[in-house]
Amino acid sequence: MYLILLGPACALIVAGAAWWRVRRLRHLIRVERAAVQLLQAADHRDMNAFRARIAGLVAEHRAAELEEQVLAEADRIVAAELGRTPHYPHYPHEGDSA
């Protein structure tokens, strides 16, 4: 009599173990997908921060180049004006007897 119940009991245990294993595998797949999504989001965030930092450095470099160009142009203008005007001594009254 017990031998008749042994077959279905074994089948039920095997089916339960298979169901448990499939459930566990699905859970592991969900965990793995969540980890991948977190890593992709972190990569996206890091790349945005990197791009913003590089854009800031490029803008700073361009501003420095522009400042150098402005200073060079101002120096050229001052040099041209100094070359055009006569030079007087700093103390014109020194040596004057009057």
Side-chain angles (χ1 to χ4, degrees), residues 82-98:
L82 285 176
R84 197 169 61 89
T85 60
H87 294 284
Y88 296 106
H90 291 288
Y91 302 103
H93 301 293
E94 282 185 8
D96 269 351
S97 57

Side-chain angles (χ1 to χ4, degrees), residues 2-3 7-8 15 20 23-24 29 36 45 53 56-57 60 63 65 67 70 75 78 82 85 89 91 93-94 97:
Y2 292 112
L3 290 177
W20 181 257
R23 185 172 177 261
R24 183 74 182 143
I29 289 171
V36 167
R45 181 200 62 212
R53 186 174 178 192
L57 290 173
E60 184 179 316
E65 284 180 349
E67 182 181 358
V70 168
D75 189 39
V78 168
L82 285 176
T85 60
Y91 302 103
H93 301 293
E94 282 185 8
S97 57

Side-chain angles (χ1 to χ4, degrees), residues 22-54:
V22 167
R23 185 172 177 261
R24 183 74 182 143
L25 286 174
R26 285 182 180 167
H27 175 72
L28 289 175
I29 289 171
R30 282 194 304 270
V31 168
E32 192 67 28
R33 284 182 182 162
V36 167
Q37 288 175 350
L38 285 174
L39 286 174
Q40 287 175 346
D43 285 344
H44 185 69
R45 181 200 62 212
D46 292 345
M47 283 304 293
N48 285 340
F50 177 74
R51 286 184 185 121
R53 186 174 178 192
I54 293 297

